[in-house]
Amino acid sequence: MSSQAREQLEVRVTEAGRLYELLDDAEAMLRRVATPDRYAGILVTRHEPGRYTFELSDAVPFGETREIVLS
């Protein structure tokens, strides 16, 4: 199956105390987009400390979140 959508969010965290709150919010937002058609999971990439991207990916099973660390 090819991707039905290329939804992506970037999260930049400048306050360490808000890291998990912001990451959880981004994941929940993408989960709401994917849920109606149940077509994609979420791929989270850490590019550097404080910079993350969240992307719907049909390479990740629906309902799962996988992480990649580049730095």
Side-chain angles (χ1 to χ4, degrees):
M1 172 195 324
S2 63
S3 293
Q4 295 182 15
R6 196 77 176 158
E7 299 289 336
Q8 184 174 354
L9 299 172
E10 182 169 333
V11 176
R12 291 186 179 258
V13 181
T14 57
E15 298 174 45
R18 295 196 61 210
L19 174 66
Y20 294 111
E21 172 192 356
L22 295 172
L23 296 180
D24 287 346
D25 289 350
E27 183 177 9
M29 190 177 306
L30 280 183
R31 194 163 306 286
R32 284 191 298 273
V33 171
T35 297
D37 295 325
R38 302 176 59 93
Y39 69 90
I42 299 172
L43 181 64
V44 181
T45 304
R46 177 181 179 229
H47 298 273
E48 57 191 39
R51 181 173 169 249
Y52 301 81
T53 54
F54 286 69
E55 178 178 353
L56 290 180
S57 172
D58 57 6
V60 178
F62 174 77
E64 291 187 23
T65 300
R66 298 205 177 142
E67 301 175 27
I68 297 174
V69 177
L70 299 180
S71 64

